[in-house]
Amino acid sequence: MAVTDAAIDKIKQMILSGELAPGDRLPKEADLAERLGLSRNSLREAVRALALINVLDVRQGDGTYVTSLEPHLLLDTMSFVLDLHRDDTVLQFFEVRRILEPAATAMATKLMTDEEIEELRAILESLPEEPTVEELVANDLDFHQRIAQGSGNSVLCSFIESLSGPTTRARIWRGLTQEGAMDKTREQHTAIYEAIAARQADVARSWATVHVAGVESWLRKALG
């Protein structure tokens, strides 16, 4: 593992130095191994590991390329980790959401176009009166993703999307629907939308805080 770690670090340094840029093809395996002073086996292991976290893209018969290195791609693995989390750590993820989502909502209030705000309203109105858990999850995810995207910060957006994947939401909604919390969520989503539409950043931030904190509070009781 130590040799593989060293190989990973050497490839990372090539990317950080600009020697390898996003979209670039890596030199042939034999040439790169010799240049970095590595065995071909160690290099293969390093490439495999970096491909798993979306830093490299191995294309059969074509070679290995550096990916776009976009935040959404690099943070995609966080969603996988989140889906595997234990119940005693889910609250820690919610604490992070409680910090990030209100900030993104306030930013979106200033940056979203009128057309994007209208699309947000359409998402709210598309939810049936008596939705299934699947419909709730999809609508909830879409609503929060649009706001995160509206923040104009791709890193912040990627973090939020990674922290609130469909699997996590499905688990929570199954419990929340039994508690009759759907009406409260509808009201809070509407309040967030109305604050954004009115360009009231502080109000939007406050409602987003209330919204995430409410689910967090329910989880604390459920896990307690």
Side-chain angles (χ1 to χ4, degrees):
M1 280 305 294
V3 179
T4 304
D5 287 345
I8 290 170
D9 193 54
K10 287 183 178 182
I11 296 172
K12 186 174 84 171
Q13 289 307 319
M14 289 179 74
I15 295 171
L16 290 174
S17 69
E19 191 176 346
L20 284 174
D24 280 358
R25 180 177 176 172
L26 268 66
K28 289 181 180 177
E29 186 183 86
D31 296 341
L32 187 59
E34 184 180 351
R35 183 165 147 198
L36 297 177
L38 300 165
S39 70
R40 291 176 72 168
N41 193 49
S42 296
L43 180 59
R44 273 191 214 114
E45 288 297 323
V47 167
R48 195 173 293 128
L50 290 168
L52 282 171
I53 58 171
N54 297 329
V55 171
L56 297 179
D57 178 20
V58 180
R59 302 175 193 172
Q60 291 300 325
D62 187 24
T64 300
Y65 292 78
V66 180
T67 66
S68 66
L69 302 178
E70 289 288 330
H72 72 89
L73 198 61
L74 298 180
L75 290 168
D76 193 43
T77 49
M78 193 190 296
S79 298
F80 180 76
V81 173
L82 267 168
D83 286 346
L84 297 175
H85 68 244
R86 304 186 313 276
D87 284 346
D88 60 350
T89 60
V90 68
L91 286 169
Q92 293 176 25
F93 288 118
F94 258 86
E95 286 170 356
V96 177
R97 276 188 63 191
R98 183 157 42 84
I99 294 166
L100 297 182
E101 285 202 32
T105 305
M107 291 164 72
T109 303
K110 298 172 182 176
L111 296 174
M112 285 180 84
T113 64
D114 291 343
E115 187 180 346
E116 287 169 339
I117 292 172
E118 183 60 25
E119 288 171 359
L120 200 60
R121 183 181 65 80
I123 291 168
L124 282 178
E125 292 179 351
S126 70
L127 189 65
E129 277 303 310
E130 295 186 15
T132 62
V133 170
E134 289 71 25
E135 287 170 331
L136 277 169
V137 170
N139 190 273
D140 189 41
L141 199 60
D142 200 8
F143 181 77
H144 287 283
Q145 278 179 344
R146 293 300 182 93
I147 293 173
Q149 288 162 5
S151 72
N153 185 313
S154 62
V155 176
L156 180 58
C157 178
S158 297
F159 265 119
I160 290 171
E161 289 186 2
S162 297
L163 284 165
S164 47
T167 305
T168 307
R169 274 181 150 76
R171 284 183 195 167
I172 292 164
W173 268 117
R174 283 194 177 87
L176 284 176
T177 47
Q178 292 162 18
E179 300 269 329
M182 191 184 71
D183 290 339
K184 187 183 290 185
T185 298
R186 275 186 196 268
E187 288 169 12
Q188 290 172 354
H189 277 188
T190 301
I192 291 168
Y193 155 74
E194 288 175 348
I196 291 174
R199 306 290 184 182
Q200 296 175 313
D202 288 344
V203 177
R205 185 198 302 271
S206 297
W207 272 114
T209 304
V210 167
H211 181 52
V212 179
V215 181
E216 186 186 340
S217 176
W218 173 85
L219 272 174
R220 284 188 190 281
K221 290 175 189 170
L223 298 175

